[in-house]
Amino acid sequence: MDQKTYLILQQQCETQRKQLMWTRIIAVFCLVLVVAAVAAGLYLKSKLDGAFDKYDQLAYQLEEILTTLDNSVDELGEIDILTVSENISELSDTLNEVQWQEIADDLSEVSGRLTEIQWQSLAENIDETAITAQESLEKAMQAIDELDIEGLNEAIEELHTVVEPLANIVKRLS
């Protein structure tokens, strides 16, 4: 193999090495963007789940109160004042068990955090990320499509043809 062919092969290998490096960098960047978007989504979901859990607890407690009131009204005509007084006492105990201030504080905090979120900016960033990822993937696919696989295989075969006798000589000298 002459010097010119060797230099051409060396340039092709270097070009392919650079293409592979950039492809990997783009893939890692896309992966990081996807992970960041998923993490943001999961964070928001966990905060909303907490708020909805508090809301569900409050709704359950209110349902208990309403059930107790319904039962009291139904029994009012049939039961004497002592029984009504006991039901009112139970209702009062149930109302006292509800931590109204804590629930109101939690709802205020969640409401404040939801208003802090820049929904439009978040949507735009997700759109931009998706567009960037799509463009990066298209560029990577184009670079892969442009690879001269046959030329690379021929270069590998030629390199093997040159290196094999050298390896045999080194093996004999050892």
Side-chain angles (χ1 to χ4, degrees), residues 28-139:
V28 167
F29 177 74
C30 290
L31 182 62
V32 167
L33 288 176
V34 168
V35 167
V38 168
L42 289 175
Y43 175 77
L44 289 174
K45 182 186 179 304
S46 69
K47 291 298 179 182
L48 287 174
D49 284 345
F52 286 128
D53 286 344
K54 291 284 185 176
Y55 174 79
D56 288 342
Q57 289 174 359
L58 177 62
Y60 177 74
Q61 290 173 349
L62 286 174
E63 186 177 324
E64 285 182 354
I65 292 168
L66 290 175
T67 301
T68 304
L69 281 174
D70 283 345
N71 292 339
S72 296
V73 168
D74 290 343
E75 295 173 359
L76 186 59
E78 302 170 5
I79 300 175
D80 61 7
I81 293 296
L82 183 60
T83 307
V84 171
S85 176
E86 289 173 3
N87 285 341
I88 290 175
S89 178
E90 287 178 25
L91 177 61
S92 176
D93 291 343
T94 304
L95 286 173
N96 287 335
E97 290 175 7
V98 175
Q99 298 171 350
W100 296 103
Q101 187 60 43
E102 182 181 328
I103 291 170
D105 290 344
D106 289 343
L107 287 175
S108 293
E109 181 182 340
V110 168
S111 174
R113 287 187 181 179
L114 287 174
T115 57
E116 291 174 6
I117 296 172
Q118 297 174 351
W119 294 104
Q120 183 66 29
S121 175
L122 181 62
E124 290 172 2
N125 287 340
I126 289 173
D127 286 345
E128 289 174 12
T129 301
I131 291 169
T132 302
Q134 182 179 3
E135 289 172 354
S136 298
L137 287 175
E138 288 173 358
K139 288 178 183 177

Side-chain angles (χ1 to χ4, degrees), residues 135-151:
E135 289 172 354
S136 298
L137 287 175
E138 288 173 358
K139 288 178 183 177
M141 291 306 296
Q142 182 181 6
I144 289 171
D145 289 342
E146 291 174 359
L147 283 177
D148 182 14
I149 301 298
E150 291 177 21

